[in-house]
Amino acid sequence: MTKAKLSLSVLLVTSMMFIFSCNPEEEVPVVVEDPVKKAIFDSMKEWYYWEAELPQKLDVSKFASNQAVLDELKFKPLDRWSYLTTKAEFDAAFTGQATGAHGFSFAFDQDEKLFVAFVYDEAPAGKDGWKRGWQILEINSKPISDYKTSTGSYSFNLGANEIGVTNSFKFKLPDGTETTRTIQKGAFQTNSVLYKNVYEVGAKKVGHWVYQSFKATAGLSPTRSQEVEDLFNYFIAENINELIIDLRYNGGGSVAVTEQILNYIAPASVNGRVMYTNKHNGNKFSNNRSVNFSKKGSLNLDRVIFITSRGSASASELLVNCLDPYMDLVLIGDNTYGKPVGSFPLSSFNRNLSSNNVELVPITFAIANSEGRAEYFDGFPVNFTVGDDPAKNWDNKEEKRLKAALEFIENGTVSARMKNTSFIPKWEMIDAFEGLRKEFPMY
């Protein structure tokens, strides 16, 4: 409609050319502009969605780093996402290969208690048995209040994103006991499907899916997720007729995987109709294209219930936007983040970027649904505001947002008691990171 600390510094050598005057002893040096900084500017002029806002020329020698050049060029009113990384780090992130992380996320409840929000199965935290719902009392022997900033938010610095970095966490478990765990950061494959189940609500069979990021499976062609394929085969076999998709911590990911999901969810009646249309800048008008639905599987759903938050961004919002013209959608939780634009890496279009191992990933296109809706920079509003409930694990039907979704399926509405649980967290994971890790946030 979302990760190892990225090293964005590249060793650059500024070449010198010498022009000799008539006096052979007199050399006049002429400095050639830094090739990578110039490549960033040239690539932005060619591909950037807000290219019209860029200067016609830029003296790149005035900037101390590649990042400084990009910061100068970003369209500040709207661009919160353009970033620099490396090709290897970009490819790894979009296929779920993490390095230098514990493999979990935080979330605060309405009482400003901090909990484990989710854990990746194969991560150090997952292998140590961590679960959503564990309250975090201390990090490295310091109470959580010590991490509060002067602005009322929080800053959790857990060290470099490198394998072997160690942190200690003191937990209060759901049964009231306490435990302290010390774990290292490692390398692991993340799982995007955090939880799946099927519930019976009256005569209905309700699929429940917690989805953390739109990541492709490495090596599959065309680009797609094996996890997604397996998930929908499960729902099809269970013959569900209602679907709850929990995107509350999903910062985005692959558009190709989003298309894969849309083709499973959409009703057969929309087969061949427009899914979305993307729009590039004036230089790349010929790249504009529409993508149509190509129905997969036998699910026949009339509506989808989404659980969302400010952590629901990019591809999460694209999923909502593309289905909206064709299905009844109900959003429960908090308003989404607001990212109706997308990116793709540009190093393959510029030799100086690729040869210096610099991957430039700026905003390059906007995405509109079949009705032309593309301007949702303020996010999608929810139908029912319900607060996050990280003290309860995914399988607990008393978890507030899941309970509200099941209540809506049963009664056609959400009770005032549930709506009164809404609150605005002082800190959210999506705000703790920049660049590539903003799309795939984790510690």
Side-chain angles (χ1 to χ4, degrees):
M1 258 255 283
T2 190
K3 328 165 191 120
K5 184 176 182 180
L6 306 180
S7 175
L8 303 181
S9 60
V10 179
L11 183 62
L12 302 174
V13 179
T14 303
S15 60
M16 305 289 290
M17 295 180 62
F18 298 92
I19 300 176
F20 296 92
S21 68
C22 294
N23 182 349
E25 295 181 357
E26 183 181 349
E27 298 178 353
V28 181
V30 178
V31 179
V32 176
E33 288 184 329
D34 184 304
V36 174
K37 293 175 189 172
K38 187 173 186 303
I40 292 170
F41 175 67
D42 291 343
S43 297
M44 292 285 280
K45 286 292 290 182
E46 181 179 3
W47 290 98
Y48 193 46
Y49 180 67
W50 293 288
E51 182 274 334
E53 305 295 332
L54 296 178
Q56 290 303 308
K57 295 181 180 180
L58 186 71
D59 183 358
V60 297
S61 66
K62 294 182 178 180
F63 297 90
S65 66
N66 298 333
Q67 185 63 49
V69 173
L70 180 59
D71 290 342
E72 174 69 16
L73 297 175
K74 286 167 66 173
F75 181 50
K76 301 303 189 296
L78 295 177
D79 188 357
R80 294 171 279 175
W81 308 286
S82 295
Y83 61 89
L84 293 166
T85 182
T86 67
K87 185 178 189 304
E89 288 167 336
F90 179 90
D91 292 344
F94 276 79
T95 54
Q97 301 167 67
T99 301
H102 296 306
F104 75 101
S105 170
F106 295 147
F108 282 98
D109 72 358
Q110 71 277 10
D111 298 320
E112 214 166 324
K113 295 177 181 177
L114 187 64
F115 291 85
V116 174
F118 68 80
V119 183
Y120 293 118
D121 294 342
E122 297 301 313
K127 290 187 174 181
D128 195 45
W130 297 20
K131 302 293 182 185
R132 173 179 169 85
W134 288 18
Q135 184 183 352
I136 304 167
L137 302 176
E138 296 178 358
I139 301 174
N140 295 324
S141 302
K142 294 168 55 178
I144 302 308
S145 58
D146 282 8
Y147 293 89
K148 199 164 190 175
T149 67
S150 59
T151 63
S153 184
Y154 288 83
S155 178
F156 299 101
N157 183 356
L158 301 187
N161 297 311
E162 298 173 356
I163 295 172
V165 171
T166 299
N167 286 286
S168 178
F169 303 84
K170 183 178 180 180
F171 297 104
K172 183 178 181 179
L173 304 185
D175 64 4
T177 61
E178 295 182 0
T179 182
T180 298
R181 305 293 180 88
T182 300
I183 61 171
Q184 293 184 342
K185 296 185 179 183
F188 53 93
Q189 176 67 47
T190 65
N191 54 296
S192 292
V193 177
L194 298 180
Y195 182 75
K196 68 179 188 293
N197 205 346
V198 174
Y199 310 114
E200 291 189 5
V201 179
K204 296 178 179 179
K205 295 195 73 174
V206 181
H208 173 213
W209 170 29
V210 182
Y211 193 48
Q212 195 276 320
S213 55
F214 294 74
K215 296 169 187 167
T217 301
L220 292 187
S221 182
T223 301
R224 65 190 190 280
S225 165
Q226 187 62 52
E227 280 189 273
V228 165
E229 193 168 312
D230 294 344
L231 173 95
F232 278 100
N233 286 337
Y234 164 71
F235 284 149
I236 290 167
E238 291 288 332
N239 197 29
I240 66 168
N241 45 38
E242 294 272 9
L243 179 60
I244 301 168
I245 306 178
D246 192 330
L247 301 173
R248 75 182 80 184
Y249 306 131
N250 192 316
S254 166
V255 173
V257 174
T258 312
E259 293 176 20
Q260 178 188 6
I261 294 168
L262 285 163
N263 283 323
Y264 275 112
I265 295 174
S269 60
V270 308
N271 193 48
R273 298 177 68 177
V274 172
M275 178 186 288
Y276 69 82
T277 300
N278 61 20
K279 177 185 176 183
H280 295 74
N281 69 31
N283 298 327
K284 299 297 180 182
F285 183 81
S286 61
N287 287 22
N288 293 355
R289 66 188 180 104
S290 291
V291 174
N292 296 334
F293 283 97
S294 179
K295 174 65 178 173
K296 289 179 65 68
S298 58
L299 286 184
N300 185 26
L301 304 172
D302 295 321
R303 69 182 176 194
V304 178
I305 297 171
F306 289 99
I307 295 174
T308 62
S309 74
R310 280 196 69 254
S312 309
S314 193
S316 290
E317 295 169 304
L318 178 60
L319 195 64
V320 173
N321 198 38
C322 291
L323 289 174
D324 187 54
Y326 301 110
M327 301 181 72
D328 183 17
L329 306 182
V330 178
L331 273 62
I332 293 172
D334 287 327
N335 297 355
T336 65
Y337 189 78
K339 186 189 175 189
V341 286
S343 310
F344 50 80
L346 298 184
S347 67
S348 59
F349 302 102
N350 189 290
R351 184 173 58 188
N352 280 326
L353 293 177
S354 60
S355 64
N356 286 279
N357 194 29
V358 175
E359 190 60 89
L360 171 63
V361 192
I363 297 301
T364 50
F365 59 91
I367 303 176
N369 67 12
S370 63
E371 295 177 342
R373 184 178 187 182
E375 297 295 320
Y376 47 89
F377 286 99
D378 293 328
F380 286 107
V382 292
N383 300 95
F384 303 100
T385 55
V386 178
D388 197 7
D389 194 6
K392 297 182 178 66
N393 208 345
W394 303 120
D395 60 353
N396 190 334
K397 289 194 284 186
E398 291 299 309
E399 192 279 321
K400 291 172 185 174
R401 287 174 173 170
L402 173 60
K403 185 174 184 177
L406 294 172
E407 188 176 281
F408 179 84
I409 290 171
E410 185 172 16
N411 303 321
T413 189
V414 173
S415 67
R417 181 175 60 85
M418 294 302 301
K419 289 185 282 188
N420 286 339
T421 64
S422 179
F423 68 98
I424 299 175
K426 295 279 182 75
W427 175 94
E428 293 188 70
M429 283 284 290
I430 197 167
D431 298 319
F433 299 99
E434 297 296 333
L436 183 62
R437 295 187 70 209
K438 194 176 189 71
E439 198 153 12
F440 306 106
M442 78 170 99
Y443 281 107

